[in-house]
Amino acid sequence: MVRRVGDWTIVIEECGWRGVQREVIGELSRDGGEAVAVMRHVYAARHDFAYALDGELVTGFDPCWPGTWWGTAPDRLNRHLRELGIDPASDDWIDNAIQAVLALAGRISGVVVTPAHIERPVLGAAIPR
Protein backbone atom coordinates (compact mmCIF):
# COMPACT_ATOMS: atom_id res chain seq x y z
CA MET A 1 0.00 0.00 0.00
CA VAL A 2 1.34 3.39 -0.91
CA ARG A 3 0.29 6.77 0.44
CA ARG A 4 1.82 10.24 0.05
CA VAL A 5 2.33 12.27 3.26
CA GLY A 6 3.95 15.67 2.76
CA ASP A 7 7.30 15.20 1.03
CA TRP A 8 7.41 11.49 1.88
CA THR A 9 5.72 8.40 0.52
CA ILE A 10 4.67 5.73 3.00
CA VAL A 11 4.75 2.16 1.77
CA ILE A 12 3.08 -0.56 3.83
CA GLU A 13 4.34 -3.94 2.66
CA GLU A 14 2.06 -6.49 4.30
CA CYS A 15 3.73 -9.85 4.99
CA GLY A 16 6.88 -8.76 3.16
CA TRP A 17 10.41 -7.60 3.82
CA ARG A 18 11.79 -6.38 0.50
CA GLY A 19 11.80 -2.74 1.64
CA VAL A 20 14.56 -3.29 4.22
CA GLN A 21 16.84 -5.21 1.88
CA ARG A 22 20.04 -3.31 1.14
CA GLU A 23 19.71 -3.28 -2.63
CA VAL A 24 16.02 -2.31 -2.51
CA ILE A 25 16.26 0.55 0.00
CA GLY A 26 19.31 1.77 -1.89
CA GLU A 27 17.30 1.96 -5.11
CA LEU A 28 14.40 3.68 -3.32
CA SER A 29 16.78 6.44 -2.21
CA ARG A 30 18.91 6.88 -5.33
CA ASP A 31 19.53 10.18 -7.11
CA GLY A 32 19.61 12.27 -3.93
CA GLY A 33 16.67 10.57 -2.21
CA GLU A 34 16.16 9.38 1.32
CA ALA A 35 14.40 6.22 2.53
CA VAL A 36 13.53 4.78 5.92
CA ALA A 37 12.20 1.25 6.40
CA VAL A 38 10.81 -0.47 9.47
CA MET A 39 10.06 -4.17 9.22
CA ARG A 40 7.94 -6.02 11.73
CA HIS A 41 7.45 -9.56 10.53
CA VAL A 42 5.39 -11.50 13.05
CA TYR A 43 5.45 -14.86 11.25
CA ALA A 44 9.20 -14.87 10.69
CA ALA A 45 9.79 -13.46 14.20
CA ARG A 46 12.22 -10.99 12.65
CA HIS A 47 12.41 -7.21 12.67
CA ASP A 48 14.70 -4.77 10.85
CA PHE A 49 15.32 -1.05 10.50
CA ALA A 50 17.10 0.51 7.52
CA TYR A 51 17.99 4.07 6.54
CA ALA A 52 19.43 5.02 3.15
CA LEU A 53 20.59 8.21 1.47
CA ASP A 54 21.38 8.74 -2.20
CA GLY A 55 21.37 5.04 -3.09
CA GLU A 56 23.47 3.88 -0.16
CA LEU A 57 22.47 2.06 3.03
CA VAL A 58 23.65 4.39 5.79
CA THR A 59 22.59 2.28 8.74
CA GLY A 60 20.59 -0.81 9.47
CA PHE A 61 20.00 -2.86 12.59
CA ASP A 62 17.73 -5.33 14.32
CA PRO A 63 15.52 -3.15 16.56
CA CYS A 64 15.34 -5.86 19.25
CA TRP A 65 19.14 -6.07 19.44
CA PRO A 66 20.42 -2.54 18.68
CA GLY A 67 24.06 -3.52 19.25
CA THR A 68 24.09 -5.25 15.84
CA TRP A 69 24.67 -2.69 13.06
CA TRP A 70 25.51 -2.54 9.36
CA GLY A 71 25.83 0.15 6.70
CA THR A 72 28.30 2.86 5.70
CA ALA A 73 27.71 5.04 8.80
CA PRO A 74 26.11 2.76 11.40
CA ASP A 75 26.46 5.31 14.24
CA ARG A 76 24.68 8.09 12.37
CA LEU A 77 21.39 7.82 14.28
CA ASN A 78 22.83 7.13 17.75
CA ARG A 79 21.81 10.53 19.13
CA HIS A 80 18.18 9.88 18.19
CA LEU A 81 18.29 6.40 19.71
CA ARG A 82 19.66 7.74 22.98
CA GLU A 83 16.94 10.39 23.06
CA LEU A 84 14.41 7.57 22.64
CA GLY A 85 15.91 5.73 25.61
CA ILE A 86 17.89 3.12 23.67
CA ASP A 87 21.61 2.62 24.23
CA PRO A 88 22.99 1.81 20.76
CA ALA A 89 25.98 0.01 22.29
CA SER A 90 23.85 -2.27 24.44
CA ASP A 91 23.53 -5.98 23.89
CA ASP A 92 20.28 -6.02 25.85
CA TRP A 93 16.95 -7.07 24.35
CA ILE A 94 14.66 -4.09 23.63
CA ASP A 95 11.05 -4.74 24.66
CA ASN A 96 9.46 -1.82 22.79
CA ALA A 97 11.59 -2.19 19.67
CA ILE A 98 8.98 -1.56 16.97
CA GLN A 99 7.50 1.47 18.72
CA ALA A 100 11.01 2.87 19.19
CA VAL A 101 12.05 2.48 15.55
CA LEU A 102 8.73 3.87 14.32
CA ALA A 103 9.50 6.91 16.51
CA LEU A 104 13.02 6.96 15.02
CA ALA A 105 11.58 6.87 11.48
CA GLY A 106 9.30 9.75 12.48
CA ARG A 107 12.28 11.79 13.68
CA ILE A 108 14.09 11.23 10.39
CA SER A 109 11.14 11.88 8.09
CA GLY A 110 8.95 14.18 10.16
CA VAL A 111 6.08 11.77 9.44
CA VAL A 112 4.31 9.90 12.21
CA VAL A 113 2.44 6.91 10.78
CA THR A 114 -1.10 6.69 12.13
CA PRO A 115 -3.92 4.20 11.56
CA ALA A 116 -5.43 6.71 9.10
CA HIS A 117 -2.42 6.19 6.81
CA ILE A 118 -3.30 2.54 6.26
CA GLU A 119 -7.02 2.92 5.69
CA ARG A 120 -8.22 1.84 2.29
CA PRO A 121 -8.48 2.68 -0.55
CA VAL A 122 -4.78 2.98 -1.19
CA LEU A 123 -2.57 2.46 -4.22
CA GLY A 124 -0.87 -0.91 -4.55
CA ALA A 125 2.58 -1.68 -5.91
CA ALA A 126 5.15 -4.44 -6.05
CA ILE A 127 8.81 -3.80 -5.38
CA PRO A 128 10.52 -5.70 -8.23
CA ARG A 129 13.66 -7.75 -7.82
Side-chain angles (χ1 to χ4, degrees):
M1 296 180 290
V2 179
R3 199 176 287 279
R4 185 84 172 160
V5 180
D7 291 336
W8 285 78
T9 301
I10 297 173
V11 177
I12 307 292
E13 184 184 11
E14 292 186 40
C15 298
W17 53 81
R18 300 250 328 128
V20 293
Q21 292 177 334
R22 293 175 190 190
E23 64 277 4
V24 173
I25 195 163
E27 273 300 300
L28 293 172
S29 69
R30 68 184 166 94
D31 297 329
E34 190 173 14
V36 180
V38 174
M39 180 186 81
R40 178 180 181 263
H41 200 290
V42 176
Y43 303 115
R46 184 167 170 240
H47 312 304
D48 275 316
F49 175 89
Y51 174 58
L53 286 171
D54 199 19
E56 200 168 309
L57 177 68
V58 174
T59 187
F61 60 95
D62 179 335
C64 295
W65 300 100
T68 305
W69 298 88
W70 51 86
T72 59
D75 298 335
R76 177 142 181 184
L77 303 175
N78 284 359
R79 177 180 57 87
H80 292 301
L81 287 169
R82 286 187 190 98
E83 290 171 359
L84 291 167
I86 296 173
D87 178 2
S90 174
D91 287 333
D92 293 337
W93 174 267
I94 304 298
D95 289 328
N96 63 343
I98 297 303
Q99 295 91 329
V101 291
L102 284 171
L104 178 60
R107 285 175 177 243
I108 294 166
S109 66
V111 175
V112 176
V113 178
T114 68
H117 291 123
I118 59 174
E119 290 176 358
R120 299 187 194 303
V122 294
L123 300 174
I127 299 174
R129 291 188 176 262

